[in-house]
Amino acid sequence: MKLTKGQKLIFIGDSITDCERNRPAGEGLFGALGKGYVGYVDALLQAVYPELGIRVINMGTSGHTVRDLKQRWQEDVIERKPDWLVVMIGTNDVWRQYDTPFIPDGHVYKEEYEQTLQALIAQTKPLAQGIVLMTPFYIESNAQDAMRATMDEYGDIVRRTAEQHGCLFVDTQAAFNKVLEQLYAATLAWDRVHPTAAGHMVLAKAFLKEIGFEWDRA
Amino acid sequence: MKLTKGQKLIFIGDSITDCERNRPAGEGLFGALGKGYVGYVDALLQAVYPELGIRVINMGTSGHTVRDLKQRWQEDVIERKPDWLVVMIGTNDVWRQYDTPFIPDGHVYKEEYEQTLQALIAQTKPLAQGIVLMTPFYIESNAQDAMRATMDEYGDIVRRTAEQHGCLFVDTQAAFNKVLEQLYAATLAWDRVHPTAAGHMVLAKAFLKEIGFEWDRA
Amino acid sequence: MKLTKGQKLIFIGDSITDCERNRPAGEGLFGALGKGYVGYVDALLQAVYPELGIRVINMGTSGHTVRDLKQRWQEDVIERKPDWLVVMIGTNDVWRQYDTPFIPDGHVYKEEYEQTLQALIAQTKPLAQGIVLMTPFYIESNAQDAMRATMDEYGDIVRRTAEQHGCLFVDTQAAFNKVLEQLYAATLAWDRVHPTAAGHMVLAKAFLKEIGFEWDRA
Amino acid sequence: MKLTKGQKLIFIGDSITDCERNRPAGEGLFGALGKGYVGYVDALLQAVYPELGIRVINMGTSGHTVRDLKQRWQEDVIERKPDWLVVMIGTNDVWRQYDTPFIPDGHVYKEEYEQTLQALIAQTKPLAQGIVLMTPFYIESNAQDAMRATMDEYGDIVRRTAEQHGCLFVDTQAAFNKVLEQLYAATLAWDRVHPTAAGHMVLAKAFLKEIGFEWDRA
Amino acid sequence: MKLTKGQKLIFIGDSITDCERNRPAGEGLFGALGKGYVGYVDALLQAVYPELGIRVINMGTSGHTVRDLKQRWQEDVIERKPDWLVVMIGTNDVWRQYDTPFIPDGHVYKEEYEQTLQALIAQTKPLAQGIVLMTPFYIESNAQDAMRATMDEYGDIVRRTAEQHGCLFVDTQAAFNKVLEQLYAATLAWDRVHPTAAGHMVLAKAFLKEIGFEWDRA
Amino acid sequence: MKLTKGQKLIFIGDSITDCERNRPAGEGLFGALGKGYVGYVDALLQAVYPELGIRVINMGTSGHTVRDLKQRWQEDVIERKPDWLVVMIGTNDVWRQYDTPFIPDGHVYKEEYEQTLQALIAQTKPLAQGIVLMTPFYIESNAQDAMRATMDEYGDIVRRTAEQHGCLFVDTQAAFNKVLEQLYAATLAWDRVHPTAAGHMVLAKAFLKEIGFEWDRA
Amino acid sequence: MKLTKGQKLIFIGDSITDCERNRPAGEGLFGALGKGYVGYVDALLQAVYPELGIRVINMGTSGHTVRDLKQRWQEDVIERKPDWLVVMIGTNDVWRQYDTPFIPDGHVYKEEYEQTLQALIAQTKPLAQGIVLMTPFYIESNAQDAMRATMDEYGDIVRRTAEQHGCLFVDTQAAFNKVLEQLYAATLAWDRVHPTAAGHMVLAKAFLKEIGFEWDRA
Amino acid sequence: MKLTKGQKLIFIGDSITDCERNRPAGEGLFGALGKGYVGYVDALLQAVYPELGIRVINMGTSGHTVRDLKQRWQEDVIERKPDWLVVMIGTNDVWRQYDTPFIPDGHVYKEEYEQTLQALIAQTKPLAQGIVLMTPFYIESNAQDAMRATMDEYGDIVRRTAEQHGCLFVDTQAAFNKVLEQLYAATLAWDRVHPTAAGHMVLAKAFLKEIGFEWDRA
């Protein structure tokens, strides 16, 4: 287990992270961490490693792209001084290109995405003990699908960024692909983007594996 | 134009037809016909053929399959004595097999779908001047997609049923396929099932073409 | 078709344009363009000309007169840089003279109306590829009716303004008059001002005709 | 003053009478009589003739035609044993012919209107001390307007019925016509049907005059 | 009739005037003038004197004392330039002394009441054609009741103020006393302060009499 | 203290007893007993005599008269088998005669009141260990006030009934009269009927005194 | 893993099971299974064993005791034909003895609890492939606490019942006790009864362990 | 009785004091003082000592610690000039250490608690006639319980502070302990912190005893 006693773990991202978390910060009362994978991670950490006392904070915001994260990075990440930071962003950067193609203001293309993500991670790496980068994903089994193909390119950017900065890396698309061998996309997400409870558990499990969580620790 | 003065035109189907129509019957005040293609059809008929005085009634109900239509057919179709009847059903019959695959109670497989649809049309054909059968559709351009492939099979059943009973036939999947050459699926439907306004206009236009509507009549 | 690929088309006006559009700008998700003729125009453009990718934005605001448009013109029109601009204003300018005659503060008389409209168009004409001016209207078949007569005078001002500035022109009153030969006013509008769905389709059709839209393009 | 101490006065009609009255009977607490002319009549009777202790009950129901009144006449009129009964009905009987002309189920044509009204009054006249028949009205100054002309015919039926059965008679259309000489229709009613406060006061005054109310009694 | 064509008539006071009027100013649509006597006055003026086109504005605010009126006098009275001004204030000035006797901050005693009222009227008299001062009242028939006795003293101050400044004067307590000879207080007001519809009609009638309103003008 | 361990104590009455109690029975969670004197009695019994474990149930219903109690007596009193029963009824029996004098259906005059109360007590006395009868009251210090005088007559009926059947008796009017020597009626009740928190405490204290409650028990 | 492909797994219990599940049956859309441990179990099964297609149904109902389960057992368990049944009941049976000790109607004492549970399991054992009995629990580390001690006795009844009928058995109290060594009770439950997300994960994990779930299956 | 005629008595604290009091200050209409012990104290003072006219103001705020009181002390205490001040604070200072142990930002440890409380009392003692300090409490009978033990330590700080500054002192824990001999904790508080009505009466009684209140004064 890479986390140690009393550490603060911040998640930042879009609606998949947000899931109706509390404002201004997603921590505290039952439900404060939202209904998604962040809440699952917190529940699993506390249930299995209660002696560690990990403080989990959810700073996801629905609809956000990496451009929006940049705007609030100082306040929502730097000033909160995380020991560990987890970033999963990019879904909306891609999705807006496909669901509202006529409104280019909302599109974040690859160059801007990569530059912005790189800059944020470079700034933050020295300040935290560890950073975990999770790819965005698209719950569609057909790799030739146009939006899936684009999402995979954004995932590659995340992978490269993680490698360059020595971050932990979670390939969420790979995790979903494995389940998609058994289940049709609509079983896991109404719109191929927002996962069901099972889909959020896939995310939680993929993250926890990367940080060395053991379900059956003695 | 196949409709004549003072005729009553009933639409029946699922949520794509329903679109928040009035209860018990979708007719009357502004909005009574719902926000979908039925309302567009009514608006276009009244704006372009005001002298015909066509009475449009929306009897769609969200979530319904052909099994549900059978339960309410006597009350919602037969007793309302339509001059023209339009049926578009099958989306949920297929979708439940893919979004909740573990709950077979909600699945309507091909045999039941075909038998039920045939029986309803056979019973009703002698009572109305005309029946229009519209295929269900799936707003997914990949014809090899599992759910799209199944939906196409249901569409074939509709086509055969129309031929056997001498009904007018609207291939909604073909209408969407043409637009999908230009636009990604997510532009036309959040979940590949419920169309945007543009998607509903595609449906309205496909229906109107079949009944001989002329936009630019002298 | 006068619109070309990727152009931005802004509608501005009063409640007949607004129809519960999104704020601050009426564009984006299903319903963002409101329930009125602007939404119909957008749906028809996207369904019939999907390859053009026209971006439609609804900036109508309920209750507004030309005096109100002037206040927000810089922000809502100029700064949004439309390729095409559509203006339909004047209903409230006239209506307040007839429904609250004792409150002159809310009346916009002909002189102010003409001067303001002229100034706005003069300022904007050089900035956009095209401007479409639509008359206000009153869904009343009796041309001797006092309010109808006044509305016709405002319509004449719109016509003159269009001619002077080389704008496209849509005579909405004429479009309604044609339908009023068949239908009583109350069938098209509860209050002779806010159209039903059919009335909004009359507006959409009149606009689309002026810009060269073809329903049955090959 | 034709009303005497302790009498019960029931008003029955449609939305113009109803005006959000209490259910099941419109009497009692502040607001129980609704926001319309019935509440004004009650307030004026109690303020000017407090010693009479007139009990006013509002049994109007929005949307009703004379056909609906017939259904509830036994329960809402006969069993409540009024000393005086006031009937104003017909607006919807006519209006539905003009706002939803394609839905004939909701139309109540002249023959049915006259027969039904005659039968109800014939049945009730012997049971009450007095009956007041008020015409329906249409707040439109143009007597050639189609709906106004029809409404006038229904008003004539009310007049004839009153004469045949010896009822008091209130010509509400005449009362409005007098005000319409000064004010445009929209000042008195949003939709030419539902009066403003001033319009309701016109109705109250016309009724009170017929029963001998004196504003300035010594 | 003392009012002449096109004049503006402003009412200011407390909850008895307010009655859920519109904000910021109580004028305009149906209901904008509130459910109380101001709405009745407006309806009666418009119904009986439609040719005068009197503009009535309700500026009452629930809970206010004369101390509160002073705070908003410039904005709500002076800047609105009334031709006629009607003031009815004092209920809360007195009531707070009796319902929350332990909270003296909310009490406005006689000296402050008289001084403030005098100053406001002195400032405004030269600016308007006429001012009508209405006494506060307490719907309690027992003149020895402590709160009634105090209210009568405040009424005397209003009378004196009216005489000194040449204002029209309405003795609302006297108007209620006459009705209280016939009806118990609870019939006219739940709490002896907020009148029923009948009580508001008593107020409207008392006011109208003072300005020369004739119900039965030829 | 007359109550003994484990006894069940039922209160029945009108809105003064009800105070938003739970349905169908007012017992259980915080707030279940309502915001009035019943809740205070329960809180005081439990705080001062926790070892007795008295079960308090509130069966008051807003608006009820003794005529209504008779309708629900079997279900709400007899079948619940109280050890002690407390009855306070009569306010609405009297109030309706004064606030809606023209609607005699709602009035319960003295004869009916006395007969009904007597019958209910006679039926129930043998079934319970004790019955406490509390007078209705009117928070008005002027004993010559018409409604106060009537209420006193109903209070006398309660006193006689208590004497005849050997019930405990609480003179709530006397309890209020003592406080009214210090405070004006409006301080204790908005409408002279529904007490403030202090007024409810007056009721609780009067009741508790009668059953031998000691605040400072050793 | 004891569950096999396509099996139906029903959970029944009280509010800890319910957690705002859908009605009438807790299955289907995202959130249908509630926010508690049942939803976690379903998500984990689907994420880790997607090929099994286990159908999970939540039939918990807030506030229920074993007495309530008996009333609905036929409809909610027998007729739904589970392959596996999970029962966790008893919290309210005990809690009502401690939070509303004066209302014995709501208490279910040990004898009734044991008899009823035994009868339900005896009836159902032959009909299902497997039954899992989970103890009720109380999140209080002090075993001498009165309510904890009683809850432990009910847990012993569950253990005995499981042994007698050959059911799987989950000792939830033991699972919580282990976490309570690290965390104070209030960290896991606001009221020592309704767990936080972490507490629900403790339940899910304890259940999954008993049925042979492997988090890290190859 | 230590309070004298016309004095102002301010309560400040956390949610146990707040109980949905009015904002900005908890005084005035029925319910303004909240549903807790402050409202009971006010009701009892007014019912038993009406001639004193004590003005009670509730300034409790849910969730507050002594750190929060310090922030608003100038505005909420000093500027309101109380004759008597009552302080009960500390519950949240302790509770946050036990219900969200991983979020140290919200914990107020003993040193800060004592220093802050001392400073506030030292500043205020000279300004008021009297100050009453009430301990925080925890409704748990087991004195070895970790949170109870900590709460007792905070109670000791309150006691010492009261002694040093000559304040009146109320040991609320002792008051609850006495009742806990008879009742289990859950009967008095769902979460061992927020009392039921009975628990609030325990608080009110403990406070009133300290200021010399006599229930049965002659």
Side-chain angles (χ1 to χ4, degrees), chain E residues 85-176:
Chain E
L85 175 69
V86 189
V87 185
M88 182 168 70
I89 197 71
T91 300
N92 294 307
D93 307 63
V94 173
W95 203 6
R96 291 297 90 74
Q97 301 173 40
Y98 289 93
D99 71 355
T100 46
F102 311 154
I103 310 181
D105 314 16
H107 305 174
V108 178
Y109 298 111
K110 275 187 286 185
E111 295 65 29
E112 179 182 357
Y113 178 76
E114 180 155 16
Q115 264 182 342
T116 310
L117 186 63
Q118 288 269 3
L120 294 175
I121 300 307
Q123 170 190 9
T124 315
K125 191 62 182 44
L127 308 173
Q129 176 178 326
I131 293 181
V132 184
L133 295 189
M134 299 173 72
T135 67
F137 57 85
Y138 192 50
I139 303 179
E140 163 62 60
S141 59
N142 174 17
Q144 275 68 53
D145 177 275
M147 182 164 152
R148 165 70 197 279
T150 305
M151 199 69 82
D152 284 350
E153 294 176 348
Y154 281 63
D156 286 344
I157 292 170
V158 174
R159 182 192 306 271
R160 283 201 304 273
T161 305
E163 287 169 0
Q164 291 170 22
H165 295 277
C167 302
L168 296 185
F169 172 73
V170 179
D171 188 339
T172 63
Q173 186 70 53
F176 276 117

Side-chain angles (χ1 to χ4, degrees), chain E residues 197-213:
Chain E
H200 275 289
M201 198 59 86
V202 167
L203 292 171
K205 193 160 176 289
F207 167 78
L208 288 168
K209 180 174 183 174
E210 185 65 18
I211 63 163
F213 173 91

Side-chain angles (χ1 to χ4, degrees), chain A residues 153-216:
Chain A
E153 294 175 348
Y154 282 62
D156 286 344
I157 293 170
V158 174
R159 182 191 305 270
R160 284 200 305 272
T161 306
E163 289 169 359
Q164 291 170 21
H165 294 278
C167 301
L168 295 185
F169 172 72
V170 179
D171 188 340
T172 65
Q173 185 69 53
F176 276 117
N177 287 347
K178 197 161 164 209
V179 182
L180 283 168
E181 293 170 13
Q182 303 293 338
L183 300 174
Y184 183 72
T187 312
L188 287 163
W190 194 256
D191 55 7
R192 285 169 168 68
V193 169
H194 293 99
T196 59
H200 274 289
M201 198 59 85
V202 168
L203 292 171
K205 193 159 176 289
F207 167 78
L208 288 168
K209 179 173 183 174
E210 184 67 17
I211 62 163
F213 173 92
E214 294 176 57
W215 170 272
D216 285 308

Side-chain angles (χ1 to χ4, degrees), chain E residues 98 138 142 145 184 187 190, chain F residues 95 98 138 142 145 184 187:
Chain E
Y98 289 93
Y138 192 50
N142 174 17
D145 177 275
Y184 184 73
T187 312
W190 194 256
Chain F
W95 202 6
Y98 288 92
Y138 191 50
N142 174 17
D145 177 274
Y184 183 72
T187 312

Side-chain angles (χ1 to χ4, degrees), chain B residues 49-85:
Chain B
Y49 294 82
E51 79 285 2
L52 287 188
I54 302 301
R55 177 180 183 182
V56 178
I57 306 178
N58 182 349
M59 299 304 293
T61 299
S62 291
H64 273 199
T65 62
V66 78
R67 193 188 291 162
D68 299 302
L69 292 200
K70 184 182 169 189
Q71 295 301 319
R72 60 186 180 94
W73 196 262
Q74 178 64 25
E75 183 181 3
D76 283 0
V77 175
I78 304 297
E79 293 177 11
R80 289 187 180 274
K81 303 197 172 102
D83 297 301
W84 285 84
L85 175 68

Side-chain angles (χ1 to χ4, degrees), chain G residues 128-170:
Chain G
Q129 176 177 329
I131 292 182
V132 184
L133 295 189
M134 297 172 74
T135 67
F137 58 85
Y138 191 51
I139 303 179
E140 163 63 62
S141 59
N142 174 17
Q144 274 68 53
D145 177 275
M147 182 163 153
R148 165 72 195 278
T150 306
M151 199 68 81
D152 284 349
E153 294 175 348
Y154 281 63
D156 287 343
I157 292 170
V158 174
R159 182 191 305 271
R160 282 201 305 273
T161 306
E163 289 169 358
Q164 291 170 21
H165 295 277
C167 301
L168 296 185
F169 173 71
V170 179

